[in-house]
Amino acid sequence: MITRCYLEITNICNLDCIFCPKTERVKRTLTPEEFDRLTERLRGEVKFLYFHLMGEPFLHKHLPHFIAVAREKGFIPVLTTNGTLLDKAQAVIEAAPHKVQISLHSHEGNAKDNLEGYVDSVMRFTKEAAARGVVVVLRLWNQGGYDSTNERLVDLVAQHLPRPWSERYYGWRLTDNVYLEYDRMFEWPDSNGQEYACEEAFCYALRNQIGVLCDGTVVPCCLDHNGDIPLGNLFEQSLDEILSSPRAKAMYDGFTRHEAVEPLCRRCGYMAVTKRFRK
């Protein structure tokens, strides 16, 4: 079973983060019928269903319905958001996703003003969602990059959930169901970008994660933002057929040998620089 599938319900976003690679693909949003077809193909094959790859999922008017459908089909639904649309997210809380990850670094990544108002909105949502049993992870994935407001931002969060907090490996546990998580900023893989020298290349792509773009294209991981490694189309094929394709098998076997066979993988800063994947 695939642990995580990143199902892109829309590739449209309301922000223009300086660290985001964007996508050159045609703007598209899944219909409820398309979501049902794709999740039928994924049913029983995937554990956690992340409603994100590119795009802002809270822009989708059917998001609460999608969460409910995902739960009915046995998935554990997870959302990743920039946190700017949470004032209108009551129906999402009621739909009860398992976890919501809020990228706090998106605020500075857009040179936004009114940090206080942003944090107030995020924390109103966070406290209500956590009280309903939803896990909320506040993310600052910008260490060594656009992080000049981090100290002020964390102080503002502490006004809503006062310290002391319990320290964890990547951050803190603030209270029941609420976490603050740090990580290094990384370079997204780009087909025209720098190729890294990586003697021990390894990634969990196709082992415990895949991505499905909003046109049904299956890609190996959540960082293939332009669909540079298309393995098949879930509207037209079963997941087993796609993962058994020669290209998918070559990629899987390559990582077994600690070799990145795809050019995009050899340009992945997340694998080569942050060294998050080791086996």
Side-chain angles (χ1 to χ4, degrees):
M1 173 178 278
I2 297 292
T3 306
R4 291 173 289 163
C5 174
Y6 295 86
L7 177 56
E8 183 184 72
I9 62 174
T10 180
N11 61 6
I12 300 169
C13 189
N14 62 321
L15 295 184
D16 187 23
C17 295
I18 193 169
F19 51 78
C20 178
K22 318 298 188 296
T23 179
E24 298 171 0
R25 293 179 282 121
V26 174
K27 300 302 182 186
R28 198 178 189 283
T29 296
L30 285 182
T31 67
E33 294 75 21
E34 289 173 332
F35 181 83
D36 186 62
R37 286 171 61 194
L38 292 176
T39 50
E40 277 300 306
R41 290 283 174 92
L42 296 168
R43 187 204 285 257
E45 305 287 346
V46 168
K47 184 176 182 180
F48 291 92
L49 194 64
Y50 285 69
F51 291 20
H52 180 68
L53 202 145
M54 287 282 102
E56 169 51 55
F58 279 79
L59 285 173
H60 204 302
K61 64 180 179 180
H62 295 297
L63 179 57
H65 171 67
F66 287 176
I67 295 169
V69 169
R71 282 201 172 278
E72 290 169 5
K73 293 187 178 185
F75 301 103
I76 301 175
V78 179
L79 309 178
T80 300
T81 175
N82 58 44
T84 60
L85 303 173
L86 300 180
D87 278 339
K88 302 177 182 179
Q90 184 62 39
V92 170
I93 294 176
E94 293 172 358
H98 168 67
K99 181 166 64 173
V100 178
Q101 303 175 144
I102 305 175
S103 299
L104 299 182
H105 48 275
S106 65
H107 191 276
E108 183 171 0
N110 282 271
K112 290 285 188 180
D113 297 324
N114 193 16
L115 182 62
E116 292 81 359
Y118 172 72
V119 173
D120 285 347
S121 174
V122 165
M123 295 310 295
R124 280 195 299 271
F125 172 90
T126 294
K127 289 191 286 187
E128 182 169 357
R132 300 283 192 96
V134 179
V135 176
V136 180
V137 180
L138 308 174
R139 304 200 305 188
L140 287 170
W141 285 20
N142 58 357
Q143 301 301 287
Y146 302 97
D147 57 3
S148 66
T149 62
N150 280 11
E151 184 175 353
R152 174 61 177 153
L153 196 152
V154 172
D155 285 343
L156 289 170
V157 168
Q159 291 180 15
H160 294 267
L161 292 174
R163 298 178 175 97
W165 301 332
S166 301
E167 189 170 359
R168 303 173 77 241
Y169 185 66
Y170 284 117
W172 296 277
R173 175 185 175 275
L174 278 58
T175 187
D176 290 347
N177 296 326
V178 182
Y179 302 86
L180 179 62
E181 179 183 275
Y182 283 100
D183 208 341
R184 289 181 58 187
M185 183 175 173
F186 62 91
E187 292 292 331
W188 286 65
D190 187 311
S191 58
N192 297 314
Q194 171 189 353
E195 185 167 318
Y196 295 97
C198 190
E199 296 180 358
E200 291 293 320
F202 184 77
C203 179
Y204 288 102
L206 303 181
R207 278 175 161 77
N208 73 359
Q209 71 159 300
I210 57 170
V212 181
L213 306 182
C214 54
D215 65 355
T217 299
V218 175
V219 294
C221 77
C222 61
L223 298 182
D224 189 356
H225 55 95
N226 266 328
D228 289 314
I229 311 177
L231 301 175
N233 193 290
L234 204 58
F235 283 130
E236 303 165 0
Q237 303 163 271
S238 71
L239 184 61
D240 184 63
E241 289 174 320
I242 293 169
L243 297 183
S244 299
S245 68
R247 189 173 192 179
K249 288 179 66 64
M251 187 175 179
Y252 184 102
D253 292 344
F255 280 127
T256 300
R257 301 189 305 269
H258 295 274
E259 177 186 352
V261 300
E262 288 285 345
L264 187 71
C265 299
R266 294 195 293 271
R267 292 166 170 80
C268 180
Y270 193 77
M271 177 181 68
V273 178
T274 67
K275 301 182 179 180
R276 290 290 297 271
F277 304 135
R278 287 292 181 269
K279 186 177 179 181

